[in-house]
Amino acid sequence: MLDRSAGEMPFLEVVEPERGADVPPVARAVRRLAPYDPTTSLGHILAHPDRTPFKLDWNEATIPPSPKVLEAIARFLGNSHHLNWYPELYSHSLLAPLGDYLGVPADHVLVTNGSDDALALVCNTFLNPADEVVVPMPTYTHFLVFAQAKGGKIVNVRYDDPFEPQVERILHAISPRTKVVYLVSPNNPTGSVFLPEEVERILDHAPHAVVIVDEAYHEFYGQSVVDLVRTRPNLVVTRTFSKSFGMAGLRIGYLAAMPELVGELKRLFNPKSVNVLGQIAARAALADRDYLRDYVAEVTAAKPLVVDFLRAHGIPARTTPANYILFRPEDARVFCRQLASVGVYVRDRSTIPQCEGYIRMSIGTVAQMREVMARMETVLAPHSGW
Ligand SMILES: *Cc1c(COP(=O)(O)O)cnc(C)c1O
């Protein structure tokens, strides 16, 4: 039977594995995990090809990647040999452009198959069974799977107000058995951030543990702690091309850490895990920073428009420094369904402890969000007439 007591994973949708044929027993730590069945709108969207969908449920970009990315991929595909060869090992030629983008030397960078792969790599490399993993909640749930699959014991940290980090509580949760600390900044879904001095306090307090700062939404926020990897041997910063660069389907992310730490991660790292199209696309995307900057500016301008719109309709709403907002309609489940009926797909987060009642919605360009607001208006109209 499922034993989920090893850590709190209250918001993964649980599906029982198929029963019947006797397959060999899985590892003890894995046995405790329920298969992850995240709800996605993709099936619904494909079933309604007649309607322009607004896929705002997974924090992806709402526009395609730079045209230069598409050109680079097309040019590459013109040489058919490239697909029967393995990709460049370690994405070697991406290291210098990424180091330049991050402001750290190239030997501080490791390119991974999405940043999820970087999170899993840290867990797989550092965790022994029963090691403690300190995680402020609520957080990005997929990390918990990687930690628990290695037998890690999740130590949840809760703040009085989930939108206001209490660093003292994190420090208090760190013990000699702590092996990994997972900080998301800006946090998904709350949007809370850690200041560099707060991260430094945590690094000082846990010299025996790897402190991960997940900066998946960095480009929308603008701030980073990545320069600390030059001097801090226990810091790993993870980033991705999935969000602001609009390349979630290509699965490419990276981490930055001291070369000694990168060296330890390479013991287990598969140097051909990043696909060749992702490598090509990432190189082209880094060369078109104007496109990135313009998209971030659009999202930044659109966020307050949507928040003000919701508040004007009597719906409490919160902005974040990332590309999503949170809002609390009267009934989140009903409202999600109503929005889906007009082709607007959002994420119901209302069952997450301390986020009760909230919906998370990705924000796109101003023009796109004007259309989204017009569609929301049709759902809200019955209540707004008086
Ligand atoms: C979306 C997301 C990721 C996953 O990014 P990939 O690079 O697509 O694997 C990682 N961390 C957080 C906090 C996210 O929201």
Side-chain angles (χ1 to χ4, degrees):
M1 278 282 71
L2 297 170
D3 170 13
R4 309 181 63 225
S5 60
E8 184 184 1
M9 288 214 298
F11 33 94
L12 299 185
E13 283 92 305
V14 177
V15 193
E16 286 290 340
E18 293 280 339
R19 303 282 176 211
D22 267 336
V23 298
V26 301
R28 264 186 298 281
V30 175
R31 217 172 299 160
R32 291 200 202 102
L33 300 172
Y36 182 37
D37 180 35
T39 40
T40 171
S41 60
L42 205 52
H44 208 269
I45 288 172
L46 297 176
H48 293 86
D50 49 311
R51 188 170 59 190
T52 308
F54 287 96
K55 189 177 187 312
L56 309 177
D57 56 343
W58 274 45
N59 299 346
E60 295 135 318
T62 57
I63 61 169
S66 153
K68 301 214 167 87
V69 168
L70 307 180
E71 280 161 31
I73 290 176
R75 210 176 317 120
F76 173 84
L77 290 175
N79 182 342
S80 50
H81 264 313
H82 283 141
L83 284 179
N84 50 303
W85 293 336
Y86 278 111
E88 180 188 48
L89 299 185
Y90 293 106
S91 305
H92 194 78
S93 54
L94 254 180
L95 300 180
L98 268 176
D100 176 60
Y101 177 63
L102 292 165
V104 301
D107 62 359
H108 287 53
V109 182
L110 187 66
V111 184
T112 55
N113 182 357
S115 57
D116 278 355
D117 190 33
L119 301 176
L121 182 64
V122 172
C123 289
N124 292 339
T125 304
F126 284 93
L127 288 180
N128 286 310
D131 282 345
E132 292 182 359
V133 180
V134 171
V135 186
M137 303 290 276
T139 191
Y140 176 61
T141 50
H142 218 66
F143 171 80
L144 304 178
V145 178
F146 302 136
Q148 292 191 318
K150 295 305 290 181
K153 184 173 175 294
I154 308 290
V155 177
N156 297 303
V157 177
R158 292 216 173 260
Y159 314 134
D160 293 332
D161 173 351
F163 299 100
E164 294 292 333
Q166 288 165 290
V167 174
E168 296 298 337
R169 295 237 172 120
I170 299 171
L171 300 181
H172 186 73
I174 292 167
S175 84
R177 292 176 303 282
T178 303
K179 206 48 121 16
V180 174
V181 180
Y182 179 59
L183 309 174
V184 186
S185 180
N187 188 38
N188 177 4
T190 59
S192 64
V193 299
F194 290 100
L195 302 174
E197 50 272 30
E198 293 173 329
V199 172
E200 291 208 82
R201 283 182 71 199
I202 295 166
L203 290 165
D204 284 338
H205 206 78
H208 55 291
V210 176
V211 176
I212 301 172
V213 180
D214 182 334
E215 296 189 344
Y217 300 97
H218 157 73
E219 286 81 4
F220 300 106
Y221 173 43
Q223 314 285 315
S224 176
V225 296
V226 75
D227 55 311
L228 294 178
V229 302
R230 289 166 172 275
T231 52
R232 296 294 197 151
N234 59 333
L235 173 63
V236 171
V237 175
T238 61
R239 297 253 194 105
T240 183
F241 285 92
S242 294
K243 307 287 160 63
S244 55
F245 285 100
M247 289 164 39
L250 285 165
R251 310 304 307 131
I252 185 157
Y254 52 97
L255 63 83
M258 265 197 181
E260 291 82 354
L261 180 40
V262 170
E264 298 290 13
L265 294 170
K266 281 182 175 172
R267 292 174 189 271
L268 207 52
F269 179 69
N270 178 352
K272 56 178 158 58
S273 62
V274 176
N275 77 85
V276 67
L277 296 181
Q279 292 174 333
I280 299 284
R283 202 152 45 240
L286 287 172
D288 191 359
R289 309 265 179 99
D290 290 350
Y291 187 84
L292 172 70
R293 190 202 53 216
D294 291 350
Y295 182 59
V296 169
E298 283 283 338
V299 171
T300 305
K303 269 189 285 189
L305 300 180
V306 182
V307 168
D308 289 349
F309 167 86
L310 289 162
R311 288 179 182 160
H313 283 83
I315 299 175
R318 311 183 58 107
T319 192
T320 77
N323 65 333
Y324 45 86
I325 61 162
L326 294 167
F327 59 95
R328 216 174 43 207
E330 225 159 82
D331 186 327
R333 281 178 58 149
V334 169
F335 201 57
C336 280
R337 243 193 336 265
Q338 288 174 323
L339 289 179
S341 74
V342 293
V344 175
Y345 300 95
V346 295
R347 192 77 190 272
D348 183 357
R349 303 278 67 184
S350 62
T351 56
I352 295 181
Q354 292 186 291
C355 287
E356 287 85 1
Y358 275 106
I359 287 174
R360 190 191 66 203
M361 178 165 81
S362 325
I363 300 296
T365 67
V366 170
Q368 288 175 324
M369 298 321 288
R370 287 201 197 286
E371 171 64 19
V372 167
M373 287 186 282
R375 291 193 194 183
M376 287 177 112
E377 196 80 60
T378 66
V379 171
L380 291 165
H383 310 286
S384 58
W386 46 282

